[in-house]
Amino acid sequence: MESQIVETGMRAEIIEELSKFGCCNLCILRYIGNTEPYIYRKDAKIIEQMLFGEQNAKSPSNCEDIRMETDELENDNVADQPSAKLLKKSPCPVCLGLLDLKYGASDAVLDKIASAVKAANIQAKSYTVNLSLPVAVQFRAYFLWYQLMEKFSKIYDGYPTMKPECICLKNAWKWLCTGRLKDKIDPDSDWVTDGCLTVNLSIKYEDEESECQTLGRQLRNASDRRSRSNGLSRGAVDLLFKDMSTFEFRRKFGDTVPIPSKYLVIDEISCSHIPVFVAGRYCKYTRNVSQTRWIVDGKRFHDASVEELIAHVVVPMMDADQAKFSASGREDVDVRMLGKGRPFVMEVINPKRTLFTQDNMNELRNKINSSTKLISVRDIQIADRKNAAKLKDGEEFKTKTYCALCRIPEGVVAPEMLEKLNSIKLPLVLQQQTPIRVLHRRSVATRERSILSINATPAKSTNLFKLRVQTQAGTYVKEFVHGDMGRTKPSVAEILECDADIVSLDVESVDFHWPPAIGD
C-alpha cells in the first residue's frame, strides 16, 4: 500500500487529508500502510518529519502533542470555527487515544497492566497481549476508509475487500507498547504472537452506545441473516460493510464521523496461561475404579476414578483451575491395567505454576503413587500440544495384550480344547457387532478386528483356563470369549462348541511407544 501511494505521487495529499480528519501521526502511518514496527517507536519529532517534511512539519508530536490546549480556544466561537480546531483538542478520531503516549500508551497504563500481570502470579517465559476493542473503533475506521476511497479512488478502489485500516490498531499498539511492557514485567521474557501467557485487555469506550445506535439499527435490518443474528459484533459489522458502496454508506451513516470527547480506557485486565500437558502411563490394580468419573443421570457410580486420583495431585501442584484427562483407549471398570501401563495425557487448564524440571516431574510421580494403592503412574513428563496429540495417532493400528480367566460353565476343560485354541490359524479375523453392553453409547456397526496371537493354558480349577491374546486395538475381548449371543464371530464359545464365560480380564500391555520412557 505505502509503495503504491508513493508511486502515484499522492502521498502528501493523503497525509494532508488524514491530518484534516484529525488523525494522530501514528494513525497516519497506519493508513498509508507503513508496516515497519520500529517506525512507530521512533521519537515524535522524527515521525513528524517523516510525514510532513522539515519545512511543513507540525509541532513535534506523537499522538498527544498535536492537541491544542483548551485555553487557546476559550475565546473562540466554536460554531464559527472549522472542525480541525475541535479535532485538535479531542482524541484522535480513529484510535481514540489508544496510541497516545499520555493516555492509552502511557507509562501509567503500562504500569497498571504490569501490576495486574505480576499480581496474577503465573509463571511464564513468553507472553502475548490480546486487545478487545469496542465496535465504535471499527465503525470509525470504516468512516475514514470510505472517505479515502471516495477522495482517492485511484488508489483505494483497488482494495475493495481490504480491512478499513491498512495496519490494525491492535498491532500498532503492540508495536508501540510490548517492548516497554517486557521491561516492566520481565526483561528476559519473549513477547510473541503465540506466547504461553496471554494478557487480555478489555478496552472500554464511554460513548460506544450513543455512537453506534444507527449502526445497531442497520444490523437489525440487514438482509444478511448472519449480520442480524450476531448483533453488534465485529464480525457482523464486517459482513454489513463487505459489499457496501461509498454512496450507500454515506446515505445510511452520513458524511461526518462524530468528534470524540472520550478516550479509550482499559476496563478489565486478565491473564491466562495456555494448558500444560502432563503425559505418562498409569496402571490400575483394582476392579472397582473407572478410568474417568462415571455419572449417569446425576447418579455417581464408584467412588474413585483414575482421572481423579491423578488430578487430585496434579491440579494443586500446578495451582490450576482444572484438568482434563485423555488416554490411549480405555479398560472397563472391572478390568485391571497392568504391565507398564496405559499412556495418558492430562491437560492442565490455566496453571499458575508452569516451569518444571524432570526432577519436579519425578516428585509429582512419587506424590501420586504414595497417595493411593489403587493406581500407579510412571514416565511422567511435560509434553507440548503437538506431542500430546500423538496419544490419538495410530489409534486403530496399535496392539494390546490381554490375559483372560475363562470358564466352561458345564463340563471340564479338556487338553484337546486348549490345543484347538492354540492351533487356530492367525491372524484370526473377527466380525464384531457393537456389543449389547455398550449399545447405549456406541453406534450400531459391525467392526472387523483381528486376533494376532493366542495362547490357552490350564488353570487351577478344572473348568477354568487362561487365555492370553494379542489383539488389534478396539477388539472386544469379553465378547470374543462368550460370543455376545452370536454378535461376535468367531468366538471362543463357537470354536469350542460349548458355552464359555469370562471370569476376569487384565490388560497386560498397550503396545504404543509413547510417551518416551523415563528412567524411573
Side-chain angles (χ1 to χ4, degrees):
M1 169 67 81
E2 187 174 26
S3 60
Q4 185 174 351
I5 290 175
V6 172
E7 288 173 7
T8 59
M10 303 179 71
R11 183 177 184 273
E13 291 180 58
I14 294 173
I15 290 175
E16 182 181 1
E17 182 69 19
L18 292 168
S19 180
K20 287 180 180 178
F21 192 81
C23 293
C24 65
N25 288 346
L26 295 186
C27 282
I28 292 176
L29 286 176
R30 293 197 298 123
Y31 275 88
I32 64 173
N34 189 292
T35 59
E36 299 293 343
Y38 76 94
I39 297 293
Y40 291 76
R41 297 190 289 267
K42 281 185 174 293
D43 182 79
K45 292 181 180 179
I46 296 175
I47 295 175
E48 189 82 16
Q49 292 168 4
M50 286 176 56
L51 293 174
F52 300 96
E54 291 283 354
Q55 301 302 320
N56 300 320
K58 299 182 296 181
S59 57
S61 68
N62 212 2
C63 178
E64 70 279 6
D65 292 333
I66 67 171
R67 316 289 177 234
M68 294 180 65
E69 297 295 334
T70 304
D71 56 7
E72 293 181 28
L73 298 171
E74 283 181 352
N75 298 321
D76 289 340
N77 183 347
V78 173
D80 296 330
Q81 299 301 318
S83 60
K85 278 197 172 184
L86 287 177
L87 288 171
K88 285 184 176 181
K89 74 167 189 175
S90 302
C92 168
V94 282
C95 77
L96 297 173
L98 191 66
L99 302 182
D100 194 322
L101 291 177
K102 289 184 179 178
Y103 294 95
S106 66
D107 276 333
V109 166
L110 300 189
D111 285 340
K112 179 180 178 180
I113 297 170
S115 296
V117 173
K118 291 176 181 178
N121 195 29
I122 302 174
Q123 292 180 339
K125 282 299 181 182
S126 62
Y127 295 77
T128 295
V129 181
N130 180 41
L131 285 76
S132 176
L133 296 176
V135 172
V137 173
Q138 183 186 17
F139 187 35
R140 287 173 167 277
Y142 271 108
F143 250 109
L144 179 52
W145 183 252
Y146 276 103
Q147 181 168 319
L148 293 172
M149 283 200 297
E150 186 175 49
K151 190 154 188 176
F152 304 101
S153 58
K154 182 178 179 181
I155 294 175
Y156 292 98
D157 276 355
Y159 298 90
T161 60
M162 198 170 190
K163 292 288 186 182
E165 309 148 293
C166 300
I167 304 300
C168 75
L169 178 57
K170 294 180 182 181
N171 284 347
W173 187 90
K174 292 174 186 178
W175 294 346
L176 187 62
C177 297
T178 50
R180 294 153 62 201
L181 273 176
K182 172 180 176 177
D183 292 338
K184 292 175 182 293
I185 295 172
D186 180 1
D188 296 325
S189 60
D190 293 323
W191 288 73
V192 291
T193 57
D194 57 349
C196 293
L197 190 149
T198 300
V199 182
N200 299 293
L201 306 180
S202 177
I203 311 297
K204 182 180 179 181
Y205 181 50
E206 190 174 327
D207 290 339
E208 166 97 345
E209 185 175 350
S210 59
E211 287 190 9
C212 294
Q213 284 182 353
T214 303
L215 178 61
R217 285 196 298 270
Q218 293 295 331
L219 286 171
R220 288 192 293 273
N221 297 326
S223 58
D224 190 295
R225 180 180 57 82
R226 290 175 297 173
S227 294
R228 295 196 305 271
S229 61
N230 289 338
L232 194 62
S233 67
R234 298 186 67 84
V237 171
D238 282 335
L239 282 172
L240 181 68
F241 295 143
K242 183 178 179 182
D243 299 314
M244 187 178 290
S245 66
T246 302
F247 173 77
E248 187 179 1
F249 181 88
R250 296 297 186 206
R251 182 175 64 83
K252 291 181 176 180
F253 300 103
D255 295 325
T256 56
V257 65
I259 297 174
S261 60
K262 302 293 193 302
Y263 289 83
L264 294 179
V265 295
I266 295 179
D267 187 36
E268 292 181 4
I269 304 171
S270 63
C271 300
S272 60
H273 198 283
I274 63 172
V276 171
F277 296 89
V278 178
R281 287 177 174 262
Y282 76 83
C283 290
K284 177 165 75 83
Y285 305 116
T286 175
R287 302 190 189 279
N288 196 35
V289 167
S290 57
Q291 188 185 81
T292 57
R293 287 182 295 176
W294 189 358
I295 300 175
V296 179
D297 296 331
K299 181 180 179 181
R300 174 161 185 154
F301 295 83
H302 304 286
D303 295 332
S305 66
V306 175
E307 173 187 32
E308 291 167 299
L309 292 169
I310 297 174
H312 179 71
V313 179
V314 171
V315 170
M317 181 175 177
M318 294 191 173
D319 195 8
D321 291 347
Q322 59 175 315
K324 298 178 181 178
F325 184 88
S326 299
S328 180
R330 63 191 304 134
E331 69 283 331
D332 292 337
V333 172
D334 60 351
V335 175
R336 295 187 300 179
M337 181 65 241
L338 306 177
K340 291 185 177 180
R342 185 184 297 276
F344 74 89
V345 164
M346 183 150 278
E347 182 181 359
V348 186
I349 308 298
N350 199 23
K352 290 187 176 180
R353 186 184 176 194
T354 64
L355 306 177
F356 299 96
T357 65
Q358 189 53 51
D359 286 341
N360 298 141
M361 291 294 97
N362 294 341
E363 178 187 353
L364 175 60
R365 175 203 66 207
N366 294 337
K367 283 186 176 181
I368 295 171
N369 292 344
S370 63
S371 68
T372 179
K373 294 183 179 180
L374 301 176
I375 68 165
S376 70
V377 296
R378 57 175 292 146
D379 300 331
I380 298 296
Q381 56 199 274
I382 297 293
D384 59 31
R385 183 181 290 274
K386 183 177 180 180
N387 278 323
K390 292 180 180 179
L391 184 72
K392 299 300 180 182
D393 288 350
E395 190 75 30
E396 296 296 317
F397 302 103
K398 64 177 180 285
T399 62
K400 301 177 183 180
T401 302
Y402 296 86
C403 183
L405 182 62
C406 304
R407 179 171 67 99
I408 303 299
E410 298 177 2
V412 175
V413 178
E416 54 268 24
M417 298 170 70
L418 302 181
E419 179 59 28
K420 192 173 184 179
L421 292 172
N422 291 331
S423 61
I424 290 174
K425 183 179 179 180
L426 300 171
L428 177 64
V429 179
L430 310 180
Q431 300 297 324
Q432 292 197 304
Q433 293 185 46
T434 303
I436 294 172
R437 63 188 173 90
V438 298
L439 276 174
H440 64 285
R441 59 181 173 87
R442 296 211 64 178
S443 60
V444 177
T446 298
R447 298 172 177 85
E448 188 176 281
R449 295 292 184 266
S450 296
I451 303 295
L452 306 176
S453 70
I454 189 167
N455 181 34
T457 57
K460 291 182 179 180
S461 299
T462 57
N463 67 337
L464 299 177
F465 67 95
K466 288 184 178 181
L467 184 68
R468 180 172 280 104
V469 291
Q470 184 184 34
T471 73
Q472 179 186 354
T475 303
Y476 291 102
V477 176
K478 292 177 179 178
E479 283 66 28
F480 169 58
V481 172
H482 57 65
D484 197 26
M485 300 177 66
R487 298 171 67 85
T488 290
K489 290 182 173 293
S491 65
V492 171
E494 181 182 345
I495 294 168
L496 296 181
E497 300 179 3
C498 64
D499 289 340
D501 289 337
I502 188 163
V503 178
S504 63
L505 182 64
D506 294 329
V507 184
E508 292 190 333
S509 71
V510 176
D511 305 319
F512 185 54
H513 303 296
W514 189 89
I518 301 295
D520 292 337

